[in-house]
Amino acid sequence: MPMDDRGLSRRAFLRRAGTAAIAVPSLGAILAACSKPGNTAGGAGASGTESMLARPDHPVTLPLNGEPIAASTPLETGTLQMYNWDSYIYKKVVAAFEDQFNVKVEITTFNNMEEGIQKLVAGQVKPDVFFPTTDYISRLAAKDLIQPLQHEMIPNMEAVVWKAFWDPGPWYDVGWQYTIPYTIYTTGIAYRRDRVKDADAVAQGYDLLWNSSYKGKISYYDSYRDALGMAMVRDGNLDPNSADPAVINQAKTNILSLLNDYDARLTVNGAFAKLPAGEFTVAQSWSGDIVGGKWYLPKGTPPSVLGYWYPDTHEGLIGNDTIVIPTTATKPALAHAFLNFLLDKKWGFVNFSQYNGYQPPFATIQPDTLVADGVVPPALSKAVVTEDMFTQGLIQGQLTAEVDKLWLDAWTEIQAGG
């Protein structure tokens, strides 16, 4: 698929704290501004309590904002409003939904969660479906910004999706009261196999990024949680939500060394576009970015030049993205139909295999066949995500307001060059 048809990676601007902090207020400030009197049941930043702080080791059942719509609610007509990350859904899939339901879908995009939630709170957008990250679900629910789902209208959850996402439900939304999963991904190291031997990637792991042999050819994500989180894991700290100032400071120091001593660059497209194009040799990478990177290779360059390392122990960063229905949705029944459509085993797979490279958590997808069927190049086999990896991987959950500030302060220093 030509690059100009794809735009940026689906997570290209995810949580870019540096520029986002200048452009818009923090998410804590945005959400605090929409608090309802007496509403204290919620996530970080909720008035006086963080009892709903969602973590893999502290799964939460979110309070319901009223009742789900009736399963008998008739489908609305007209235009479904989608609010999504840039270039995160295949227009062919959207067109198939339009044809099946005889409606139109209008897509409005955002570049980061700050922008996305600020416009939602301010009423600048009134979407029927929204694509937030997992670490903000409890706060969105606490502020009545998202509505409970009617499970009877989303039968593909139990028919297609990994059981953990519906029984008992994910750690951030036990009982999947508000969310369905969209994609899953790991965070590892992408590399050019024509410059780096596979054996060296296995031997060095995270240290591939801190290797002077690749000086000036190293990409690291411009995303504070992902950047600091990987630096922590490299140091052997397996809590990617650390509140320890010493751990955060050491991660900051290591990233500054990466930038200053190894001439690495903070990027949003290093893994999925610039490494395949040959500009970088190694890059911090989401699994979906490098799988999608095959569409950015220069003409005549085979996908076999792309490699991906993720620890065999599965003690690496892992996560998933979600879809919700905002409280202000004017077409909630049609929104439910859209969620169910994206969980269809055919269309969810088409979205992954033909466009964004990000695997949906479908039990109907056999991981072993993804390589055999040519969906994932053989050299990228470690980019395939299996269900058991979610019990072993390191998930970045919601941070308290105080801890989030420690991370953001460290990131500000990194972007200022120390």
Side-chain angles (χ1 to χ4, degrees):
M1 184 175 299
M3 186 182 301
D4 57 3
D5 287 343
R6 293 182 55 78
L8 293 174
S9 157
R10 107 291 180 266
R11 295 175 65 82
F13 293 96
L14 180 59
R15 295 192 296 260
R16 294 188 66 199
T19 55
I22 296 171
V24 298
S26 70
L27 275 174
I30 294 168
L31 290 171
C34 72
S35 293
K36 295 182 178 181
N39 185 353
T40 61
S47 306
T49 180
E50 297 195 10
S51 61
M52 298 300 291
L53 185 69
R55 292 284 183 78
D57 59 353
H58 184 224
V60 299
T61 301
L62 300 171
L64 285 176
N65 301 327
E67 296 295 325
I69 64 171
S72 59
T73 304
L75 293 180
E76 303 87 1
T77 59
T79 301
L80 181 83
Q81 299 293 332
M82 181 196 306
Y83 196 33
N84 196 359
W85 301 93
D86 186 31
S87 299
Y88 197 15
I89 192 167
Y90 196 8
K91 290 183 179 179
K92 177 180 178 179
V93 172
V94 175
F97 175 80
E98 292 177 321
D99 290 344
Q100 180 172 326
F101 290 89
N102 194 28
V103 296
K104 295 295 183 183
V105 176
E106 182 174 307
I107 303 175
T108 303
T109 63
F110 54 88
N111 292 325
N112 52 62
M113 275 285 93
E114 288 82 2
E115 174 192 350
I117 293 178
Q118 183 188 42
K119 289 182 177 179
L120 189 70
V121 169
Q124 292 176 261
V125 294
K126 294 183 178 180
D128 297 301
V129 292
F130 177 43
F131 292 66
T133 53
T134 59
D135 47 345
Y136 292 108
I137 297 302
S138 65
R139 281 172 279 190
L140 291 170
K143 305 303 179 182
D144 292 352
L145 291 171
I146 54 179
Q147 63 178 270
L149 300 178
Q150 173 52 260
H151 291 183
E152 290 184 40
M153 300 176 77
I154 314 177
N156 281 336
M157 270 292 283
E158 295 190 21
V160 177
V161 177
W162 288 347
K163 186 176 180 181
F165 282 101
W166 52 268
D167 181 19
W171 53 273
Y172 52 84
D173 181 22
V174 173
W176 66 286
Q177 297 187 112
Y178 293 94
T179 65
I180 67 162
Y182 182 45
T183 60
I184 51 178
Y185 58 90
T186 58
T187 307
I189 310 295
Y191 59 94
R192 289 282 304 223
R193 298 179 68 239
D194 51 350
R195 305 173 190 174
V196 180
K197 295 179 180 179
D198 291 332
D200 290 340
V202 172
Q204 296 177 48
Y206 295 113
D207 287 338
L208 274 177
L209 293 169
W210 280 265
N211 187 322
S212 59
S213 298
Y214 313 126
K215 185 175 181 178
K217 298 289 185 179
I218 303 168
S219 168
Y220 207 64
Y221 277 135
D222 191 357
S223 168
Y224 81 109
R225 291 297 305 276
D226 302 277
L228 288 164
M230 178 173 279
M232 292 174 185
V233 176
R234 174 183 177 248
D235 276 348
N237 298 297
L238 300 184
D239 178 8
N241 306 293
S242 180
D244 186 338
V247 171
I248 297 169
N249 186 66
Q250 185 59 57
K252 175 193 72 178
T253 298
N254 290 344
I255 295 173
L256 284 171
S257 173
L258 184 67
L259 300 177
N260 297 327
D261 300 335
Y262 299 90
D263 197 20
R265 277 194 282 163
L266 296 176
T267 72
V268 296
N269 59 1
F272 77 90
K274 293 188 176 182
L275 183 141
E279 184 172 338
F280 294 117
T281 297
V282 294
Q284 182 184 25
S285 179
W286 294 303
S287 54
D289 266 11
I290 196 59
V291 171
K294 62 187 178 184
W295 288 301
Y296 291 85
L297 288 165
K299 186 176 181 179
T301 303
S304 59
V305 303
L306 303 178
Y308 182 75
W309 174 87
Y310 185 75
D312 288 333
T313 61
H314 299 163
E315 290 181 333
L317 300 180
I318 193 167
N320 70 279
D321 287 338
T322 73
I323 314 177
V324 301
I325 300 177
T327 308
T328 55
T330 61
K331 295 179 172 58
L334 189 62
H336 278 79
F338 184 75
L339 266 57
N340 194 58
F341 187 83
L342 286 184
L343 296 181
D344 179 89
K345 64 181 180 180
K346 172 186 175 180
W347 292 113
F349 185 76
V350 167
N351 190 50
F352 154 53
S353 62
Q354 297 183 20
Y355 185 70
N356 69 14
Y358 280 82
Q359 187 181 331
F362 287 3
T364 54
I365 294 176
Q366 300 302 314
D368 292 344
T369 68
L370 292 178
V371 172
D373 292 344
V375 176
V376 176
L380 297 179
S381 61
K382 288 187 179 292
V384 175
V385 186
T386 61
E387 188 169 3
D388 64 343
M389 291 170 72
F390 268 81
T391 66
Q392 303 167 31
L394 308 177
I395 294 176
Q396 291 179 296
Q398 182 180 331
L399 300 176
T400 67
E402 292 77 11
V403 173
D404 197 41
K405 185 177 185 303
L406 292 177
W407 284 62
L408 287 169
D409 287 347
W411 189 242
T412 299
E413 289 187 50
I414 289 168
Q415 293 205 314

